[in-house]
Amino acid sequence: MKLYNSLTRNKDEFAPQDNTVRMYTCGPTVYHFAHIGNLRTYIAEDVLEKYLRYSGYDVKRVMNITDVGHLTGDSDDGEDKMLLGAKREKKTVMEIAKFYEDAFFADCKELNIRKPDTVVPATSRIADFIEMITVLLEKGYAYTAGGNVYFDTSKLDEYYVFSKHNAEDLEVGVREGVGEDSNKRNKNDFALWFTKSKFDSQELKWDSPWGVGYPGWHIECSAISLKELGPHLDIHCGGIDNAFPHHTNEIAQSESYLGHHWCDLWFHVRHLNDETGKMSKSKGEFLTVSLLKEKGFDPMVYRYFCLMSHYRKVLVFSWSAMENAAVSYDKLVARIAQIAPDGEIDTEAYEKYDSKFREALDNDLNTSLAVTALYDVIKADINGATKLALIASFDKVLSLDLLAHAEKKRVPEQEPKELSGEEAEIEAMLAERTQAKKDKNWARADEIRNILKDRGIIVEDTPQGPKWKRI
Ligand code: AMP
Ligand code: ZN
């Protein structure tokens, strides 16, 4: 499988050290609902994880939850986003964190995004961050200034690992754009631990060798990843905005701490923009899964919309683009609904179409080509059993609920038939009996059964609920 690697700026052959892929994902900052841009990134990562499993790998995937330390500016400026959320809603930071973490995973569920096996809130790992910062200080990669601890980027041979920047940017001295933090020795130095800063109102603080304070954002991903996945990472994922400074700083810290190369492949997902430009949570009303549903879109349509574009291309959201996706998804499902499960699986045909699907995804996760491979199956001159087996298999990766939605289309909802006065009365008695059984009022349930029996009506309990017929 070839995957684009931001580190080498190349499509690299993916070659993990063994059959277990160690995969780390930057999780959400839980100060607000996730917007559908955030979720585009998690959909792409979900396809990647599922396709690795489809290809026979075990995947050990870890995600953090950012519930402290992420400031409104990614370079240690602005306010803590969690604190802003708490102020906005007049709640505590931990209340906000819990609420929006749950909301995030509820959105993921709607979009068939698998929850990683290990999910770690940053606030649960403060001791690990302190241990890592202590080692960085001991090794001379960090310094204290003005009460805070900073990473010293001038100690690295190469700091800008993802793109070529002007080397001058690393020079010592306060220069334009550094902001008010005159404690920093170099422009790109970043905070590992804050004790003194302008954030007096910081709600969550912990004791540390450098005083009571709180961690910087970048250290959490390095420390959680090292603890959960060990000193060698196969894939690290995130949205493209995380490449700099967040991931750049993660590499700086982790490799300085370990003394060796850390992560082989960096998987970055380009942004979803709205028609006015960047999508952001701070813009007031923003696009969420709930809003899509309110406007009548099945979350699967959004997943389909994302899969129809390549994860390394900017995707522009508009309501008309969603309508087109809805029409196209609906047609796809309707065509699948027409396939009858006839014949036996034809293994040769199965292998042929499965390898086309794999070929698409093996080429840097080309999901739209994988959907084309799905259409090829639908159109193919092969029997229904083979088609349905292939569709079920592809959907392990695509996760578009294709067969379940097709099944719903196949069985048209039954028109509620008109009931006569007596029939309506019987139905009402059965409903009362069902409720009596729920309330464990067995005497009343039996009584109703007997009244009906006396009227020549037999009640039968089926998995679909009670049914009645005349004797
Ligand atoms: P956050 O909750 O801000 O920490 O972001 C969660 C994830 O969403 C990160 O991987 C970001 O890089 C990613 N992300 C942020 N904005 C967008 C966007 N407009 N489109 C795609 N991914 C995004
Ligand atoms: Zn991260």
Side-chain angles (χ1 to χ4, degrees):
M1 178 186 195
K2 280 196 186 326
L3 273 178
Y4 184 84
N5 184 356
S6 303
L7 203 56
T8 58
R9 274 159 256 150
N10 231 328
K11 273 196 217 174
D12 288 346
E13 190 59 46
F14 179 62
Q17 289 179 339
D18 54 42
N19 203 49
T20 301
V21 176
R22 290 158 192 83
M23 182 172 177
Y24 184 84
T25 296
C26 288
T29 311
V30 283
Y31 71 112
H32 218 319
F33 291 108
H35 59 56
I36 57 171
N38 302 129
L39 292 160
R40 178 198 193 191
T41 290
Y42 295 110
I43 288 172
E45 294 170 357
D46 181 63
V47 173
L48 174 60
E49 178 189 352
K50 286 175 178 161
Y51 185 59
L52 289 170
R53 290 183 195 278
Y54 195 85
S55 305
Y57 293 110
D58 284 335
V59 182
K60 205 166 170 224
R61 182 154 176 217
V62 175
M63 178 191 274
N64 69 304
I65 298 290
T66 301
D67 52 2
V68 67
H70 192 172
L71 309 183
T72 47
D74 279 352
S75 306
D76 304 335
D77 52 334
E79 261 195 275
D80 187 310
K81 292 187 180 192
M82 294 302 299
L83 205 60
L84 277 182
K87 276 189 197 157
R88 185 187 65 233
E89 298 186 19
K90 299 190 178 49
K91 294 201 176 114
T92 65
V93 165
M94 280 293 109
E95 279 167 349
I96 292 283
K98 168 87 180 87
F99 179 82
Y100 288 114
E101 182 185 335
D102 290 350
F104 171 72
F105 285 117
D107 285 346
C108 286
K109 201 162 177 220
E110 297 261 26
L111 290 165
N112 283 345
I113 298 169
R114 182 182 186 275
K115 187 175 179 178
D117 300 316
T118 308
V119 175
V120 184
T123 48
S124 69
R125 294 293 168 89
I126 302 296
D128 295 339
F129 308 160
I130 291 176
E131 190 269 337
M132 193 164 176
I133 298 168
T134 306
V135 172
L136 289 172
L137 278 163
E138 279 166 13
K139 287 188 157 190
Y141 286 106
Y143 58 92
T144 52
N148 298 335
V149 186
Y150 295 93
F151 188 93
D152 187 346
T153 50
S154 70
K155 293 279 155 60
L156 304 176
D157 293 339
E158 195 193 3
Y159 171 65
Y160 293 113
V161 286
F162 295 123
S163 58
K164 297 282 171 230
H165 277 62
N166 189 343
E168 270 192 10
D169 288 348
L170 280 179
E171 277 177 19
V172 176
V174 177
R175 50 181 63 237
E176 215 190 327
V178 175
E180 305 94 70
D181 196 346
S182 53
N183 295 316
K184 292 185 185 181
R185 291 182 191 162
N186 312 290
K187 179 177 174 179
N188 284 299
D189 290 358
F190 52 92
L192 298 166
W193 188 267
F194 293 101
T195 69
K196 289 200 178 57
S197 61
K198 53 193 163 159
F199 323 115
D200 291 335
S201 52
Q202 186 69 17
E203 210 179 288
L204 297 175
K205 291 181 189 172
W206 294 265
D207 203 7
S208 82
W210 319 287
V212 173
Y214 62 99
W217 169 37
H218 316 295
I219 195 77
E220 65 183 73
C221 287
S222 286
I224 292 171
S225 166
L226 291 178
K227 175 108 181 214
E228 295 296 330
L229 295 165
H232 182 96
L233 202 56
D234 296 302
I235 303 181
H236 193 308
C237 319
I240 190 72
D241 58 304
N242 280 346
F244 186 82
H246 184 49
H247 292 163
T248 305
N249 292 348
E250 276 188 50
I251 294 174
Q253 297 161 154
S254 299
E255 298 197 347
S256 304
Y257 173 85
L258 290 166
H260 61 73
H261 168 78
W262 172 46
C263 175
D264 287 345
L265 194 138
W266 289 81
F267 178 88
H268 286 126
V269 182
R270 282 258 142 60
H271 274 190
L272 175 86
N273 291 339
D274 60 24
E275 283 170 309
T276 63
K278 193 175 177 285
M279 196 167 293
S280 110
K281 293 188 209 180
S282 48
K283 262 190 183 172
E285 202 210 28
F286 56 90
L287 292 160
T288 57
V289 172
S290 311
L291 188 65
L292 294 184
K293 284 171 69 184
E294 263 169 48
K295 302 252 180 190
F297 291 103
D298 187 316
M300 283 303 98
V301 169
Y302 180 64
R303 188 170 171 112
Y304 179 79
F305 171 69
C306 289
L307 297 190
M308 292 311 284
S309 76
H310 194 257
Y311 76 90
R312 275 198 302 120
K313 291 214 171 92
V314 169
L315 179 60
V316 179
F317 177 87
S318 69
W319 290 109
S320 66
M322 274 300 280
E323 270 153 30
N324 291 339
V327 169
S328 171
Y329 177 76
D330 210 48
K331 272 193 194 151
L332 173 64
V333 168
R335 293 185 67 175
I336 294 172
Q338 284 165 4
I339 303 171
D342 57 343
E344 302 250 311
I345 294 174
D346 171 347
T347 1
E348 205 178 307
Y350 185 99
E351 296 298 332
K352 179 179 143 199
Y353 285 96
D354 187 48
S355 66
K356 272 182 129 185
F357 178 74
R358 289 173 191 268
E359 224 173 84
L361 294 172
D362 279 342
N363 184 6
D364 196 21
L365 216 65
N366 193 331
T367 46
S368 67
L369 214 57
V371 174
T372 306
L374 173 73
Y375 272 104
D376 289 345
V377 167
I378 295 168
K379 286 185 289 190
D381 189 15
I382 55 177
N383 67 31
T386 312
K387 286 186 184 183
L388 291 172
L390 282 160
I391 294 165
S393 179
F394 295 179
D395 214 27
K396 285 187 199 153
V397 179
L398 304 176
S399 294
L400 290 167
D401 279 353
L402 295 170
L403 293 178
H405 275 58
E407 189 54 38
K408 276 194 216 147
K409 268 216 174 351
R410 208 173 288 128
V411 188
E413 273 178 32
Q414 300 216 326
E415 292 280 316
K417 62 171 185 178
E418 274 204 22
L419 300 177
S420 70
E422 196 206 8
E423 284 168 333
E425 191 198 341
I426 296 169
E427 289 295 344
M429 287 174 81
L430 285 183
E432 198 201 330
R433 178 173 165 271
T434 303
Q435 188 56 47
K437 282 169 76 176
K438 264 194 206 143
D439 299 341
K440 300 198 167 52
N441 186 352
W442 311 118
R444 179 65 186 147
D446 286 345
E447 192 183 4
I448 294 172
R449 181 192 276 273
N450 290 336
I451 296 171
L452 289 170
K453 199 171 165 198
D454 290 344
R455 285 168 61 171
I457 289 157
I458 299 187
V459 179
E460 214 180 290
D461 289 306
T462 75
Q464 287 76 38
K467 298 262 180 310
W468 60 273
K469 60 179 183 206
R470 294 182 201 280
I471 300 171

